[in-house]
């Protein structure tokens, strides 16, 4: 995710160099693979297809190096599936010795829209510099080049801007050196009984996670290519059930702990280059997730040492979370305060934030008990009680039997989902609440795979695994039906051009927070009767 | 020069590896200098100025690193004079940590028109890939980069295409690592008596030559960046009187001799990368100039060994030149035949080519005598006699008292100039002829500094040094008045937007064949009474 707006300036705190060194030493090696385009295609306008673009195979890929390209000629290649890596080109010439440079344009698309639509028309509010295009001028031909920037793409368009009247160019060999820190060999085969649909969803989810696993867990390899806490939490869960790269999770946790903001709050995200540093953004929910992610890591890894070392950072996040409570034990809502929750426009975050505080406090209790800090565990328990009571007292609409949020008493799916995950209702009540909100037409819905993850988890927690699976099939299955070979940052089945950024061109189409079907399928449904 | 059109395919001949090795071993070291922008300027439309563009200083250069640039911001820098080299940029940021790449565009201009006019509107017939622009996308900031391509420019425009709403960029340091194989220290100071105008012309001519002296004598460092025989001949002459880099001339001669075309003809030009190779272009005049350039080199260097080794190649060019004579001892004119002579549109080349053959034969006689090939010298003398007689008989219009060319009996300055240089009239007749043609309104004029060089030389040869100097002052002086800090490939004082390529954007504004004022001033006018 990317909040994009200018924030109040938040200063970085003191770096913990011991943690930073630990993180640097945990850098895992990249696994490289050479991949090749599979076919020559056309991208055609067709309103029946997702976002109005249809891919049609035009020619066999074997034709590629038999073609020569003059000024204005272009070609579109399909690499068969989503790649993250470095493009290699071997370019030869036909005709006279080249008497002028070659200038050509490369456009990389995760999705057909990026090839079909003109980047020049982009007017979204995220930087257009994310649009993956490059113009190269080559003075010496023939040549073999590797583009220095890493790209995330399935489709590649090459357009020859100019050669000269005396020569043409041949794209003799094109490949991508794909990179990841995920080892495909670690992924266990799903049981035979799992449905083909679900197997396909699992495969695409795996690819999504794999392509986001770089020097850190990136949110999206096209954009923002950054370590966000909210994404990390979900990636780590999927990773434990697939690639099992514990070191990468550990590295990311140490990075966040090493680079706090001024008040000890972990940043919502970190930059890795030129040196690791925190972004000047904090999000109420993301900070609290540090404790949750640490607890999850300990559960899967049994790495007590890391739990001990990073617990002070996690504790500080809970402290800061509690500081925002008002006299009624409610998370104070205000305009200069940010929690992410979801991209739903106009969403009030108070109830969700209240629930996330409770959800995190409960993990805090577990860690405190594990580390024998029993007084602290008791203190957290008291806070859980008070904040849960406050939720029932101030955020519950007894007529609607729905949690409300903010001064306007907004009703949203998000508030109910998080209250269920916070566990302040019993399982039956939780299941009823979720069904109730989904049938309540006035409620604000959810728009991201991130919140769909939480919806599925909420149903599983409410002992309604069936409904969880149904949603999983419906939502992620629909993405596949719409052409996804990685899962997307944003998908609203009812508004397929949805983008919170003002243009679907800038959406990330391989996005970390969408990778959790693998987690659900492998954790909750291995023995499910399909 | 660049003939641009598709030619009949000419195959390369067998390489002479001994010559090629000699040429490679003569590679001279580059002299590097760090240069910096001198001011922040504006380029304004103003029809009173050359090509309609006026440069105005806007701010001191010290302001540069105090400015921060957001999306859409741009700046134009003036490096004070023409540079050939590699651009270095140190880029910092202002605001939050950069959360999106920086994308910016660089436009390099030898002349204001290249900054003022939109490259997108270019529709000349030379490749638009010569237009010096680049779009860079920078993922990691701050950064220090050196652009890998070499540029020829005085003006640099930077336009920020996008950053993000959270940060701006600062161009902290900008410099150019200028490169040449010309040693400025070798150039002797002109006598005090030389006029200031002429001193300025000499300085600009020196810079022109210097910036064209790279791994070979290039025709133009912006375009074509190639070794052309016609340019080499004039550059070598200026070089003998200034930078005295004999090795570079020798290297170029060995390169041409090492890389003949199929029939032993030297190519009109050579490519240096990825490996030295001949272009598939031959020009009647340029091939003959191999003998002339070799003879000049020997005259200045006394390098008998090179004369001996390369004489067979020179001889072959004269042979091929003679092969084109018809039964009347006239160079046969036809449509599938190319001589360069000048860019004047519609120019018939026959008479000039006839004269250039005689001119070259005369150098052939000198070399043959030097190498004691007396029979050959006699043979050449006979040919000189026959071709000179043919010129008088078939190419002389007795009424007009002007040489004519081709079936249409075209009258042009070029034909007279070359006939004078060929020395088939006495000095007085020559001087009269030159004055006659310049006053003959129907004659085709000349359009390039290349032919102005020959006009000046023709007057000097006709014992009219005064007129030569007058033309030199008039023509090259006018370029300086029009803003030249290197001399241009093309300059027609009567049509200042003249380009044989369909656009003045693609003209080369630092061009080898324009550098000869230094040669004239230093050779013919050192003791002149100014």
């Amino acid at each position: 995710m990317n909040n994009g707006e200018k924030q109040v300036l938040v200063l970085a705190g003191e770096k913990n160099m011991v943690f930073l060194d630990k993180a640097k030493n945990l850098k895992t090696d990249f696994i490289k693979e050479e991949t090749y385009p599979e076919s020559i295609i056309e991208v055609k306008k067709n309103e029946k297809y997702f976002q109005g673009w249809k891919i049609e195979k035009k020619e066999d890929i074997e034709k590629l190096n038999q073609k020569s390209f003059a000024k204005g000629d272009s070609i579109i290649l399909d690499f068969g599936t989503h790649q993250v890596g470095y493009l290699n080109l071997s370019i030869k010439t036909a005709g006279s010795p080249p008497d002028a440079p070659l200038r050509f344009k490369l456009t990389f698309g995760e999705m057909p829209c990026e090839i079909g639509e003109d980047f020049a028309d982009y007017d979204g509010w995220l930087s257009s510099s994310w649009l993956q295009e490059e113009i190269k001028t080559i003075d010496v031909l023939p040549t073999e080049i590797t583009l220095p920037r890493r790209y995330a793409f399935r489709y590649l368009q090459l357009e020859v801007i100019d050669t000269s009247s005396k020569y043409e160019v041949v794209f003799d060999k094109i490949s991508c050196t794909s990179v990841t820190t995920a080892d495909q060999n670690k992924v266990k085969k799903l049981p035979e009984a799992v449905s083909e649909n679900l197997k396909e969803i699992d495969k695409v989810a795996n690819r999504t996670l794999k392509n986001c696993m770089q020097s850190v867990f990136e949110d999206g390899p096209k954009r923002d290519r950054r370590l966000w806490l909210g994404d990390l939490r979900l990636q780590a869960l999927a990773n434990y059930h697939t690639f099992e790269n514990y070191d990468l999770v550990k590295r990311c946790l140490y990075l966040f702990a090493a680079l706090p903001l001024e008040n000890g709050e972990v940043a919502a995200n970190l930059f890795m280059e030129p040196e690791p540093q925190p972004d000047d953004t904090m999000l109420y929910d993301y900070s609290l997730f540090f404790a949750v992610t640490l607890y999850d890591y300990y559960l899967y890894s049994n790495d007590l040492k890391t739990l001990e070392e990073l617990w002070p950072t996690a504790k500080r996040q809970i402290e800061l979370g509690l500081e925002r409570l008002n006299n009624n034990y409610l998370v104070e809502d205000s305009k200069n305060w940010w929690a992410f929750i979801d991209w739903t426009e106009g969403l009030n975050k108070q109830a969700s934030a209240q629930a996330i505080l409770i959800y995190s406090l409960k993990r805090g209790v577990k860690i405190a008990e594990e580390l024998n800090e029993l007084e602290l565990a008791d203190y957290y328990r008291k806070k859980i009680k008070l904040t849960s009571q406050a939720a029932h007292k101030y955020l519950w609409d007894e007529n609607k039997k729905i949690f409300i949020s903010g001064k306007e008493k907004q009703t949203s799916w998000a508030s109910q989902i998080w209250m269920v995950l916070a566990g302040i209702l019993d399982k039956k009540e939780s299941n009823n609440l979720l069904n109730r909100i989904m049938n309540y037409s006035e409620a604000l819905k959810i728009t991201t795979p991130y919140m769909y993850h939480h919806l599925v988890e909420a149903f599983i927690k409410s002992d309604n695994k069936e409904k969880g699976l149904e949603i999983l099939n419906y939502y992620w299955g629909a993405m596949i039906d719409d052409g996804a070979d990685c899962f997307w940052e944003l998908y609203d089945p009812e508004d397929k051009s949805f983008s919170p950024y003002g243009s679907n061109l800038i959406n990330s189409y391989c996005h970390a927070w969408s990778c959790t079907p693998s987690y659900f399928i492998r954790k909750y449904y291995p023995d499910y009767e399909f």
Side-chain angles (χ1 to χ4, degrees), chain A:
Chain A
M1 71 132 260
N2 185 313
N3 69 48
E5 283 175 23
K6 283 206 179 182
Q7 302 266 320
V8 181
L9 195 68
V10 188
L11 296 177
E14 207 175 316
K15 284 185 189 180
N16 184 322
M17 296 309 293
V18 177
F19 286 1
L20 200 56
D21 275 354
K22 280 210 178 189
K24 284 182 177 176
N25 290 334
L26 284 163
K27 199 161 185 171
T28 52
D29 291 334
F30 282 98
I31 297 161
K32 293 183 184 178
E33 192 191 349
E34 210 66 9
T35 61
Y36 301 89
E38 293 187 355
S39 51
I40 299 167
I41 58 161
E42 284 180 293
V43 177
K44 290 187 170 171
K45 195 93 200 137
N46 185 328
E47 292 308 328
K48 287 185 198 155
Y49 286 78
F50 183 66
Q51 296 178 338
W53 296 105
K54 185 187 177 198
I55 294 295
E56 267 180 31
K57 180 169 171 176
K58 197 178 162 194
E59 280 177 285
D60 287 338
I61 195 64
E62 288 70 27
K63 294 280 169 65
L64 175 62
N65 61 11
Q66 295 162 28
K67 291 177 185 294
S68 67
F69 294 77
K71 178 176 183 162
D73 291 344
S74 70
I75 196 168
I76 307 170
L77 306 174
D78 179 355
F79 273 70
T81 187
H82 189 274
Q83 311 293 327
V84 177
Y86 299 89
L87 193 77
N88 312 301
L89 294 153
S90 166
I91 310 174
K92 297 189 169 172
T93 62
S96 293
D99 62 338
L102 160 67
R103 184 165 286 160
F104 71 112
K105 185 175 174 179
L106 305 102
T107 307
F108 299 83
E110 294 187 307
M111 289 291 285
C113 67
E114 290 160 274
I115 304 296
E117 295 169 33
D118 194 344
F119 284 175
D121 298 335
Y122 172 77
D123 68 345
W125 58 265
L126 286 190
S127 176
S128 63
S129 61
W130 288 118
L131 300 172
Q132 299 183 114
E133 61 180 348
E134 194 159 334
I135 291 173
K136 294 291 287 182
T137 306
I138 308 283
D139 291 306
V140 179
L141 290 163
T143 190
E144 294 194 1
I145 54 169
T146 296
L147 300 191
R149 298 190 73 214
R150 200 195 70 192
Y151 286 100
F153 68 104
R154 171 171 171 174
Y155 307 106
L156 169 64
Q157 178 165 335
L158 301 170
E159 296 169 276
V160 171
I161 297 172
D162 219 334
T163 55
S164 86
S165 56
K166 292 190 74 178
Y167 80 100
E168 299 187 344
V169 288
V170 177
F171 294 101
D172 189 45
K173 266 185 259 167
I174 297 180
S175 69
C176 175
T177 306
S178 296
V179 291
T180 179
T181 48
D183 182 355
Q184 192 66 49
N185 296 324
K186 296 260 185 174
V187 182
K188 291 185 187 70
K189 222 184 146 189
L190 285 177
E192 281 302 317
V194 175
S195 74
E196 286 309 311
N197 275 357
L198 226 47
K199 278 183 185 155
E200 184 62 22
I201 290 175
D202 177 73
K203 195 170 106 186
V204 173
N206 272 313
R207 187 181 297 127
T208 307
L209 176 58
K210 178 181 171 183
N211 286 0
C212 291
M213 284 171 72
Q214 302 294 333
S215 76
V216 293
F217 284 95
E218 293 183 8
D219 60 336
K222 176 175 98 173
R223 200 219 83 236
D224 308 332
R225 307 168 61 154
R226 219 185 299 162
L227 175 57
W228 286 89
L229 236 168
D231 298 81
L232 170 63
R233 173 172 150 261
L234 301 196
Q235 284 169 297
L237 289 176
N239 169 59
Y240 302 137
H241 291 272
T242 53
F243 303 110
E244 298 179 40
N245 190 338
Y246 293 101
D247 276 356
L248 195 65
V249 182
K250 187 173 169 183
R251 171 171 148 79
C252 293
L253 287 169
Y254 271 99
L255 280 167
F256 274 111
L259 302 164
L261 298 171
E262 210 179 10
N263 59 352
E265 184 159 352
V266 294
N269 68 84
L270 304 180
F271 298 96
M272 285 304 112
E273 301 277 1
E275 278 300 311
Q277 62 177 317
D279 189 13
D280 58 3
T281 303
M282 39 192 184
L283 295 170
Y284 187 81
D285 44 351
Y286 277 31
S287 301
L288 285 167
F289 287 148
F290 184 84
V292 178
T293 310
L294 177 62
Y295 180 63
D296 289 341
Y297 170 73
Y298 174 67
L299 275 187
Y300 281 95
S301 68
N302 285 314
D303 178 354
L304 186 62
K305 183 151 186 274
T306 297
L307 186 71
E308 282 170 345
E309 286 197 342
L310 299 185
W311 175 225
T313 302
K315 260 196 284 198
R316 179 68 186 139
Q317 308 317 306
I318 297 173
E319 257 171 52
L320 288 163
L322 289 169
E323 276 177 16
R324 207 172 165 85
L325 291 175
N326 63 19
N327 292 336
N328 295 328
Y329 291 98
L330 276 183
V331 172
E332 182 72 21
D333 198 14
S334 67
K335 287 203 169 166
N336 62 353
W337 166 80
W338 260 80
F340 170 61
I341 313 299
D342 195 15
W343 273 123
T344 311
E345 203 170 324
L347 180 66
N348 183 283
K349 320 280 173 97
Q350 186 188 30
S352 300
Q354 182 86 9
I356 288 168
L357 176 62
I358 298 166
Y359 179 87
S360 307
L361 279 164
K362 289 186 173 176
R363 271 75 191 162
V365 169
K366 299 274 190 193
I367 304 177
E369 285 175 347
E370 195 70 26
L371 298 177
N372 226 10
E373 298 188 19
L374 302 181
E375 268 185 52
L376 183 65
D378 269 350
Y379 171 77
Y380 286 165
R381 272 193 211 94
K382 275 177 204 143
K383 296 294 179 188
I384 290 167
K385 196 173 168 191
L386 291 164
T387 48
S388 301
Q389 283 169 347
H392 283 294
K393 185 168 176 186
Y394 299 108
L395 300 175
W396 179 255
D397 184 318
E398 187 51 38
N399 291 327
K400 294 177 182 162
K401 300 208 180 300
I402 283 172
F403 286 100
I404 52 176
S405 184
K407 276 187 189 153
E408 264 106 75
K409 305 185 174 181
Q410 189 185 76
T411 52
S412 69
W413 290 26
S415 301
Q416 320 313 313
I417 291 167
W418 274 113
M419 287 297 181
V420 167
L421 291 172
I424 67 167
L425 304 172
D426 69 24
K427 292 189 175 186
K428 200 175 158 198
E429 285 169 341
S430 293
N431 186 43
N432 289 342
L433 176 64
L434 292 171
N435 282 300
R436 197 178 304 126
I437 195 71
M438 289 179 77
N439 289 311
Y440 184 60
S441 63
E442 283 170 42
L444 275 186
K445 292 185 180 174
I446 60 181
T447 56
T448 58
Y450 176 76
M451 271 313 290
Y452 270 91
H453 163 92
H454 293 105
L455 177 61
V456 171
E457 187 154 60
F459 271 115
I460 291 170
K461 197 177 159 67
S462 311
D463 265 354
N464 193 345
K465 280 174 77 174
E466 202 150 351
K467 182 76 179 176
L469 187 62
E470 184 190 314
I471 293 166
L472 201 156
N473 264 314
Y474 156 73
Y475 186 72
W476 278 270
M479 269 195 257
I480 289 180
D481 291 345
D482 273 336
D485 58 356
C486 279
F487 288 124
W488 305 331
E489 177 187 19
L490 301 147
Y491 184 62
D492 183 346
E494 289 166 28
D495 174 11
K496 292 188 177 180
S497 69
F498 172 68
S499 167
Y501 313 123
S503 165
N504 56 355
L505 290 176
I506 210 86
N507 290 359
S508 163
Y509 293 97
C510 169
H511 214 73
W513 70 22
S514 310
C515 74
T516 53
S518 294
Y519 160 73
F520 288 125
I521 294 166
R522 288 159 186 274
K523 178 168 181 183
Y524 294 110
Y525 300 101
D527 308 317
Y528 196 82
E529 282 297 315
F530 289 95

